[in-house]
Structures are given as structure tokens and as C-alpha cells.
Amino acid sequence: MNEPKYKTCIHSQKVGQIAVLVGPGCPRATLIKGILVSSKQRCEECRSWKEKV
């Protein structure tokens, strides 16, 4: 239950060492080479976090 936000958010799909692959609904997403990503730090600071069901 004490998982970080970037692992439990409904927007996250895959977690790497630095970046988190996110879906199109993520407000903190950045498009890099055609892939939506966010950093772990940005995910931790996100106010739009919603837990996966």
C-alpha cells in the first residue's frame, strides 16, 4: 500500500529508471519521439493522481 504515485496512478503504463510511460489522459505528460512520458519526480508532485482500480 505504500507504493509510489508513479506505480499506482491510472495514467502510468510502464515504469523505467527515470521516465514513466503514461497514457493520453495524463496532465503531466510530455511527448518525446512520439511517446508520452513523464518523469518519476513529476508524477510524485502531480495533483491529478488517481489510484488504479
Side-chain angles (χ1 to χ4, degrees):
M1 286 290 184
N2 290 333
E3 293 287 324
K5 282 185 173 181
Y6 57 83
K7 286 187 178 181
T8 58
C9 183
I10 61 170
H11 300 114
S12 68
Q13 296 176 352
K14 187 175 179 183
V15 179
Q17 287 184 336
I18 298 170
V20 180
L21 291 156
V22 294
C26 180
R28 307 285 283 184
T30 303
L31 189 63
I32 299 176
K33 292 188 177 182
I35 300 171
L36 285 172
V37 296
S38 181
S39 69
K40 288 181 179 180
Q41 183 178 6
R42 288 182 74 178
C43 286
E44 287 297 322
E45 297 169 356
C46 185
R47 294 183 183 164
S48 302
W49 175 82
K50 293 178 186 155
E51 188 173 10
K52 289 181 185 177
V53 182

Short mmCIF file of all heavy atoms in Angstrom, two decimals:
data_model
loop_
_atom_site.label_atom_id
_atom_site.label_comp_id
_atom_site.label_asym_id
_atom_site.label_seq_id
_atom_site.Cartn_x
_atom_site.Cartn_y
_atom_site.Cartn_z
N MET A 1 0.80 -1.20 0.00
CA MET A 1 0.00 0.00 0.00
C MET A 1 0.85 1.27 0.00
O MET A 1 0.34 2.33 -0.28
CB MET A 1 -0.91 0.03 1.23
CG MET A 1 -2.06 -0.91 1.14
SD MET A 1 -3.18 -0.28 -0.09
CE MET A 1 -4.48 -1.42 0.05
N ASN A 2 2.11 1.17 0.29
CA ASN A 2 2.99 2.33 0.30
C ASN A 2 3.77 2.46 -1.00
O ASN A 2 4.92 2.86 -1.00
CB ASN A 2 3.95 2.27 1.49
CG ASN A 2 3.22 2.47 2.79
OD1 ASN A 2 2.19 3.12 2.83
ND2 ASN A 2 3.75 1.93 3.86
N GLU A 3 3.15 2.11 -2.10
CA GLU A 3 3.79 2.23 -3.41
C GLU A 3 3.85 3.70 -3.81
O GLU A 3 2.97 4.48 -3.47
CB GLU A 3 2.99 1.45 -4.46
CG GLU A 3 2.99 -0.04 -4.26
CD GLU A 3 4.32 -0.67 -4.62
OE1 GLU A 3 4.97 -0.21 -5.58
OE2 GLU A 3 4.70 -1.61 -3.94
N PRO A 4 4.87 4.10 -4.58
CA PRO A 4 4.95 5.48 -5.05
C PRO A 4 3.83 5.79 -6.05
O PRO A 4 3.27 4.90 -6.68
CB PRO A 4 6.31 5.56 -5.71
CG PRO A 4 6.79 4.19 -5.87
CD PRO A 4 6.02 3.31 -4.96
N LYS A 5 3.53 7.07 -6.20
CA LYS A 5 2.45 7.51 -7.08
C LYS A 5 2.65 7.04 -8.52
O LYS A 5 1.70 6.66 -9.19
CB LYS A 5 2.33 9.03 -7.07
CG LYS A 5 1.65 9.60 -5.87
CD LYS A 5 1.50 11.10 -6.06
CE LYS A 5 0.69 11.73 -4.97
NZ LYS A 5 0.53 13.17 -5.17
N TYR A 6 3.89 7.07 -9.00
CA TYR A 6 4.13 6.72 -10.40
C TYR A 6 3.85 5.24 -10.69
O TYR A 6 3.66 4.88 -11.84
CB TYR A 6 5.55 7.09 -10.85
CG TYR A 6 6.67 6.50 -10.05
CD1 TYR A 6 7.12 5.22 -10.30
CD2 TYR A 6 7.30 7.24 -9.05
CE1 TYR A 6 8.16 4.68 -9.57
CE2 TYR A 6 8.34 6.72 -8.33
CZ TYR A 6 8.77 5.43 -8.58
OH TYR A 6 9.80 4.89 -7.86
N LYS A 7 3.78 4.41 -9.70
CA LYS A 7 3.45 2.99 -9.92
C LYS A 7 1.95 2.73 -9.78
O LYS A 7 1.44 1.75 -10.32
CB LYS A 7 4.19 2.11 -8.91
CG LYS A 7 5.65 1.96 -9.21
CD LYS A 7 6.29 0.94 -8.30
CE LYS A 7 7.75 0.74 -8.62
NZ LYS A 7 8.37 -0.26 -7.75
N THR A 8 1.23 3.57 -9.06
CA THR A 8 -0.17 3.30 -8.76
C THR A 8 -1.15 4.21 -9.49
O THR A 8 -2.35 4.05 -9.34
CB THR A 8 -0.42 3.43 -7.25
OG1 THR A 8 -0.05 4.74 -6.82
CG2 THR A 8 0.37 2.40 -6.47
N CYS A 9 -0.67 5.15 -10.28
CA CYS A 9 -1.56 6.09 -10.98
C CYS A 9 -2.25 5.40 -12.16
O CYS A 9 -1.65 4.54 -12.83
CB CYS A 9 -0.76 7.29 -11.47
SG CYS A 9 -1.79 8.54 -12.27
N ILE A 10 -3.48 5.81 -12.42
CA ILE A 10 -4.22 5.22 -13.55
C ILE A 10 -3.60 5.60 -14.89
O ILE A 10 -3.82 4.92 -15.89
CB ILE A 10 -5.71 5.62 -13.53
CG1 ILE A 10 -5.88 7.13 -13.65
CG2 ILE A 10 -6.41 5.09 -12.33
CD1 ILE A 10 -7.31 7.57 -13.88
N HIS A 11 -2.82 6.66 -14.93
CA HIS A 11 -2.21 7.11 -16.18
C HIS A 11 -0.92 6.36 -16.52
O HIS A 11 -0.52 6.31 -17.67
CB HIS A 11 -1.92 8.61 -16.13
CG HIS A 11 -3.14 9.44 -15.91
ND1 HIS A 11 -3.35 10.16 -14.77
CD2 HIS A 11 -4.24 9.63 -16.67
CE1 HIS A 11 -4.51 10.77 -14.85
NE2 HIS A 11 -5.07 10.46 -16.00
N SER A 12 -0.24 5.81 -15.51
CA SER A 12 1.05 5.16 -15.77
C SER A 12 0.84 3.79 -16.42
O SER A 12 -0.09 3.07 -16.10
CB SER A 12 1.85 5.01 -14.48
OG SER A 12 1.23 4.09 -13.62
N GLN A 13 1.72 3.47 -17.35
CA GLN A 13 1.64 2.19 -18.05
C GLN A 13 2.88 1.34 -17.80
O GLN A 13 2.76 0.15 -17.57
CB GLN A 13 1.46 2.44 -19.55
CG GLN A 13 0.16 3.13 -19.86
CD GLN A 13 0.03 3.47 -21.33
OE1 GLN A 13 0.96 3.32 -22.11
NE2 GLN A 13 -1.14 3.94 -21.70
N LYS A 14 4.05 1.96 -17.85
CA LYS A 14 5.29 1.23 -17.65
C LYS A 14 6.28 2.18 -16.98
O LYS A 14 6.37 3.34 -17.34
CB LYS A 14 5.84 0.74 -18.99
CG LYS A 14 7.03 -0.16 -18.88
CD LYS A 14 7.45 -0.70 -20.22
CE LYS A 14 8.67 -1.58 -20.08
NZ LYS A 14 9.14 -2.06 -21.36
N VAL A 15 7.03 1.66 -16.02
CA VAL A 15 7.97 2.47 -15.26
C VAL A 15 9.40 2.06 -15.60
O VAL A 15 9.74 0.89 -15.55
CB VAL A 15 7.73 2.32 -13.74
CG1 VAL A 15 8.72 3.14 -12.96
CG2 VAL A 15 6.31 2.70 -13.39
N GLY A 16 10.22 3.06 -15.97
CA GLY A 16 11.62 2.82 -16.23
C GLY A 16 12.47 3.35 -15.09
O GLY A 16 11.97 3.60 -14.00
N GLN A 17 13.76 3.54 -15.33
CA GLN A 17 14.64 4.06 -14.29
C GLN A 17 14.39 5.53 -14.00
O GLN A 17 14.48 5.96 -12.86
CB GLN A 17 16.10 3.85 -14.68
CG GLN A 17 16.54 2.42 -14.60
CD GLN A 17 18.02 2.27 -14.91
OE1 GLN A 17 18.61 3.11 -15.58
NE2 GLN A 17 18.60 1.20 -14.43
N ILE A 18 14.10 6.31 -15.02
CA ILE A 18 13.88 7.74 -14.85
C ILE A 18 12.49 8.15 -15.30
O ILE A 18 11.83 8.93 -14.65
CB ILE A 18 14.92 8.55 -15.66
CG1 ILE A 18 16.32 8.26 -15.14
CG2 ILE A 18 14.63 10.04 -15.58
CD1 ILE A 18 17.42 8.81 -16.00
N ALA A 19 12.04 7.60 -16.41
CA ALA A 19 10.77 8.01 -17.01
C ALA A 19 9.65 7.01 -16.75
O ALA A 19 9.89 5.84 -16.47
CB ALA A 19 10.94 8.19 -18.51
N VAL A 20 8.44 7.52 -16.86
CA VAL A 20 7.24 6.70 -16.72
C VAL A 20 6.44 6.87 -18.01
O VAL A 20 6.12 7.99 -18.40
CB VAL A 20 6.38 7.18 -15.52
CG1 VAL A 20 5.14 6.34 -15.38
CG2 VAL A 20 7.18 7.17 -14.24
N LEU A 21 6.15 5.77 -18.69
CA LEU A 21 5.30 5.83 -19.87
C LEU A 21 3.87 6.03 -19.39
O LEU A 21 3.40 5.31 -18.51
CB LEU A 21 5.40 4.54 -20.68
CG LEU A 21 6.74 4.35 -21.36
CD1 LEU A 21 6.99 2.88 -21.61
CD2 LEU A 21 6.77 5.12 -22.64
N VAL A 22 3.19 7.03 -19.93
CA VAL A 22 1.85 7.37 -19.48
C VAL A 22 0.86 7.37 -20.64
O VAL A 22 1.25 7.42 -21.81
CB VAL A 22 1.83 8.76 -18.79
CG1 VAL A 22 2.64 8.72 -17.52
CG2 VAL A 22 2.33 9.85 -19.70
N GLY A 23 -0.41 7.33 -20.30
CA GLY A 23 -1.46 7.36 -21.29
C GLY A 23 -1.81 8.79 -21.69
O GLY A 23 -1.32 9.76 -21.11
N PRO A 24 -2.68 8.95 -22.67
CA PRO A 24 -3.02 10.28 -23.19
C PRO A 24 -3.79 11.16 -22.21
O PRO A 24 -3.88 12.35 -22.41
CB PRO A 24 -3.84 9.99 -24.44
CG PRO A 24 -4.33 8.60 -24.27
CD PRO A 24 -3.32 7.88 -23.43
N GLY A 25 -4.32 10.62 -21.13
CA GLY A 25 -5.07 11.42 -20.17
C GLY A 25 -4.22 12.09 -19.11
O GLY A 25 -4.71 12.87 -18.31
N CYS A 26 -2.94 11.83 -19.11
CA CYS A 26 -2.04 12.36 -18.08
C CYS A 26 -1.79 13.85 -18.30
O CYS A 26 -1.31 14.25 -19.36
CB CYS A 26 -0.72 11.60 -18.10
SG CYS A 26 0.45 12.19 -16.86
N PRO A 27 -2.07 14.68 -17.29
CA PRO A 27 -1.83 16.11 -17.44
C PRO A 27 -0.36 16.50 -17.37
O PRO A 27 0.01 17.60 -17.77
CB PRO A 27 -2.61 16.72 -16.27
CG PRO A 27 -2.64 15.65 -15.25
CD PRO A 27 -2.69 14.36 -16.02
N ARG A 28 0.50 15.63 -16.90
CA ARG A 28 1.92 15.92 -16.75
C ARG A 28 2.76 15.30 -17.86
O ARG A 28 3.99 15.29 -17.79
CB ARG A 28 2.42 15.40 -15.40
CG ARG A 28 1.61 15.87 -14.20
CD ARG A 28 1.89 17.28 -13.85
NE ARG A 28 3.16 17.33 -13.16
CZ ARG A 28 3.67 18.42 -12.65
NH1 ARG A 28 3.03 19.54 -12.72
NH2 ARG A 28 4.84 18.40 -12.05
N ALA A 29 2.12 14.77 -18.89
CA ALA A 29 2.82 14.07 -19.97
C ALA A 29 3.58 15.01 -20.88
O ALA A 29 3.19 16.15 -21.11
CB ALA A 29 1.82 13.26 -20.80
N THR A 30 4.68 14.49 -21.41
CA THR A 30 5.50 15.18 -22.41
C THR A 30 5.68 14.23 -23.58
O THR A 30 5.91 13.04 -23.38
CB THR A 30 6.88 15.54 -21.82
OG1 THR A 30 6.69 16.32 -20.65
CG2 THR A 30 7.71 16.31 -22.80
N LEU A 31 5.59 14.73 -24.78
CA LEU A 31 5.74 13.90 -25.97
C LEU A 31 7.21 13.92 -26.39
O LEU A 31 7.75 14.96 -26.76
CB LEU A 31 4.86 14.44 -27.10
CG LEU A 31 4.74 13.58 -28.33
CD1 LEU A 31 4.08 12.25 -28.00
CD2 LEU A 31 3.95 14.31 -29.39
N ILE A 32 7.86 12.76 -26.30
CA ILE A 32 9.26 12.62 -26.68
C ILE A 32 9.36 11.52 -27.73
O ILE A 32 9.03 10.37 -27.45
CB ILE A 32 10.16 12.29 -25.48
CG1 ILE A 32 10.07 13.41 -24.44
CG2 ILE A 32 11.60 12.07 -25.93
CD1 ILE A 32 10.85 13.14 -23.18
N LYS A 33 9.79 11.90 -28.92
CA LYS A 33 9.92 10.96 -30.05
C LYS A 33 8.64 10.15 -30.25
O LYS A 33 8.68 8.94 -30.49
CB LYS A 33 11.11 10.04 -29.84
CG LYS A 33 12.43 10.74 -29.93
CD LYS A 33 13.58 9.76 -29.92
CE LYS A 33 14.90 10.49 -30.07
NZ LYS A 33 16.01 9.57 -30.11
N GLY A 34 7.49 10.78 -30.12
CA GLY A 34 6.22 10.13 -30.37
C GLY A 34 5.70 9.28 -29.22
O GLY A 34 4.71 8.57 -29.39
N ILE A 35 6.34 9.34 -28.06
CA ILE A 35 5.92 8.54 -26.90
C ILE A 35 5.60 9.49 -25.76
O ILE A 35 6.38 10.39 -25.44
CB ILE A 35 7.03 7.56 -26.48
CG1 ILE A 35 7.36 6.61 -27.64
CG2 ILE A 35 6.62 6.77 -25.25
CD1 ILE A 35 8.57 5.75 -27.41
N LEU A 36 4.45 9.29 -25.12
CA LEU A 36 4.08 10.12 -23.97
C LEU A 36 4.79 9.61 -22.73
O LEU A 36 4.65 8.45 -22.35
CB LEU A 36 2.57 10.07 -23.74
CG LEU A 36 1.72 10.85 -24.72
CD1 LEU A 36 0.24 10.55 -24.49
CD2 LEU A 36 1.96 12.34 -24.57
N VAL A 37 5.56 10.48 -22.10
CA VAL A 37 6.30 10.12 -20.90
C VAL A 37 6.18 11.23 -19.85
O VAL A 37 5.82 12.36 -20.15
CB VAL A 37 7.81 9.87 -21.18
CG1 VAL A 37 8.00 8.69 -22.10
CG2 VAL A 37 8.45 11.11 -21.75
N SER A 38 6.50 10.86 -18.64
CA SER A 38 6.60 11.80 -17.53
C SER A 38 7.75 11.31 -16.67
O SER A 38 8.10 10.14 -16.71
CB SER A 38 5.30 11.83 -16.73
OG SER A 38 5.39 12.76 -15.68
N SER A 39 8.34 12.20 -15.89
CA SER A 39 9.41 11.76 -15.00
C SER A 39 8.82 11.28 -13.69
O SER A 39 7.69 11.64 -13.34
CB SER A 39 10.40 12.89 -14.74
OG SER A 39 9.79 13.89 -13.95
N LYS A 40 9.55 10.48 -12.97
CA LYS A 40 9.09 10.00 -11.67
C LYS A 40 8.84 11.16 -10.72
O LYS A 40 7.88 11.17 -9.97
CB LYS A 40 10.11 9.04 -11.05
CG LYS A 40 10.17 7.70 -11.75
CD LYS A 40 11.18 6.82 -11.06
CE LYS A 40 11.26 5.46 -11.69
NZ LYS A 40 12.24 4.59 -11.02
N GLN A 41 9.72 12.16 -10.78
CA GLN A 41 9.58 13.33 -9.91
C GLN A 41 8.30 14.10 -10.22
O GLN A 41 7.58 14.51 -9.31
CB GLN A 41 10.79 14.23 -10.06
CG GLN A 41 10.76 15.43 -9.14
CD GLN A 41 12.01 16.28 -9.28
OE1 GLN A 41 12.85 16.04 -10.13
NE2 GLN A 41 12.11 17.28 -8.44
N ARG A 42 8.00 14.28 -11.49
CA ARG A 42 6.76 14.98 -11.87
C ARG A 42 5.54 14.20 -11.42
O ARG A 42 4.54 14.78 -11.02
CB ARG A 42 6.72 15.21 -13.37
CG ARG A 42 7.70 16.27 -13.82
CD ARG A 42 7.60 16.52 -15.28
NE ARG A 42 6.38 17.29 -15.52
CZ ARG A 42 6.00 17.71 -16.71
NH1 ARG A 42 6.72 17.42 -17.77
NH2 ARG A 42 4.90 18.41 -16.85
N CYS A 43 5.59 12.88 -11.48
CA CYS A 43 4.47 12.05 -11.03
C CYS A 43 4.25 12.20 -9.52
O CYS A 43 3.12 12.25 -9.05
CB CYS A 43 4.71 10.58 -11.37
SG CYS A 43 4.51 10.19 -13.11
N GLU A 44 5.33 12.25 -8.76
CA GLU A 44 5.21 12.38 -7.32
C GLU A 44 4.59 13.72 -6.92
O GLU A 44 3.93 13.81 -5.90
CB GLU A 44 6.58 12.22 -6.65
CG GLU A 44 7.08 10.79 -6.63
CD GLU A 44 6.20 9.84 -5.82
OE1 GLU A 44 5.68 10.24 -4.77
OE2 GLU A 44 6.03 8.70 -6.27
N GLU A 45 4.80 14.76 -7.73
CA GLU A 45 4.26 16.09 -7.43
C GLU A 45 2.88 16.33 -8.03
O GLU A 45 2.28 17.37 -7.79
CB GLU A 45 5.23 17.16 -7.97
CG GLU A 45 6.59 17.13 -7.33
CD GLU A 45 7.60 18.00 -8.05
OE1 GLU A 45 7.26 18.58 -9.10
OE2 GLU A 45 8.73 18.09 -7.55
N CYS A 46 2.36 15.37 -8.78
CA CYS A 46 1.10 15.55 -9.51
C CYS A 46 -0.10 15.64 -8.56
O CYS A 46 -0.23 14.84 -7.64
CB CYS A 46 0.90 14.38 -10.47
SG CYS A 46 -0.55 14.57 -11.52
N ARG A 47 -0.96 16.59 -8.85
CA ARG A 47 -2.19 16.76 -8.06
C ARG A 47 -3.37 16.02 -8.68
O ARG A 47 -4.43 15.93 -8.08
CB ARG A 47 -2.53 18.24 -7.95
CG ARG A 47 -1.51 19.01 -7.16
CD ARG A 47 -1.92 20.44 -7.01
NE ARG A 47 -0.88 21.18 -6.30
CZ ARG A 47 -0.79 22.47 -6.26
NH1 ARG A 47 -1.68 23.21 -6.90
NH2 ARG A 47 0.17 23.06 -5.59
N SER A 48 -3.19 15.49 -9.89
CA SER A 48 -4.26 14.78 -10.58
C SER A 48 -4.16 13.28 -10.42
O SER A 48 -4.77 12.53 -11.18
CB SER A 48 -4.22 15.12 -12.08
OG SER A 48 -4.35 16.49 -12.27
N TRP A 49 -3.40 12.81 -9.45
CA TRP A 49 -3.18 11.39 -9.24
C TRP A 49 -4.49 10.69 -8.86
O TRP A 49 -5.26 11.18 -8.04
CB TRP A 49 -2.15 11.18 -8.13
CG TRP A 49 -1.95 9.75 -7.76
CD1 TRP A 49 -1.17 8.86 -8.39
CD2 TRP A 49 -2.53 9.05 -6.66
NE1 TRP A 49 -1.23 7.64 -7.78
CE2 TRP A 49 -2.06 7.74 -6.71
CE3 TRP A 49 -3.42 9.42 -5.67
CZ2 TRP A 49 -2.45 6.77 -5.78
CZ3 TRP A 49 -3.80 8.47 -4.75
CH2 TRP A 49 -3.33 7.15 -4.81
N LYS A 50 -4.74 9.56 -9.49
CA LYS A 50 -5.87 8.71 -9.15
C LYS A 50 -5.38 7.28 -9.12
O LYS A 50 -4.64 6.86 -10.01
CB LYS A 50 -6.98 8.85 -10.20
CG LYS A 50 -7.62 10.22 -10.20
CD LYS A 50 -8.66 10.32 -11.28
CE LYS A 50 -9.16 11.74 -11.35
NZ LYS A 50 -9.68 12.07 -12.65
N GLU A 51 -5.77 6.53 -8.12
CA GLU A 51 -5.29 5.17 -7.94
C GLU A 51 -5.93 4.20 -8.94
O GLU A 51 -7.11 4.32 -9.26
CB GLU A 51 -5.58 4.70 -6.52
CG GLU A 51 -4.94 3.37 -6.19
CD GLU A 51 -5.10 2.99 -4.73
OE1 GLU A 51 -5.83 3.66 -4.02
OE2 GLU A 51 -4.47 2.02 -4.33
N LYS A 52 -5.12 3.26 -9.43
CA LYS A 52 -5.63 2.21 -10.30
C LYS A 52 -6.61 1.36 -9.51
O LYS A 52 -6.43 1.10 -8.34
CB LYS A 52 -4.51 1.30 -10.80
CG LYS A 52 -3.59 1.93 -11.79
CD LYS A 52 -2.53 0.95 -12.22
CE LYS A 52 -1.53 1.61 -13.14
NZ LYS A 52 -0.45 0.71 -13.53
N VAL A 53 -7.64 0.90 -10.20
CA VAL A 53 -8.65 0.05 -9.54
C VAL A 53 -8.38 -1.38 -9.82
O VAL A 53 -7.90 -1.80 -10.78
CB VAL A 53 -10.06 0.42 -10.00
CG1 VAL A 53 -11.09 -0.42 -9.29
CG2 VAL A 53 -10.32 1.88 -9.78
#
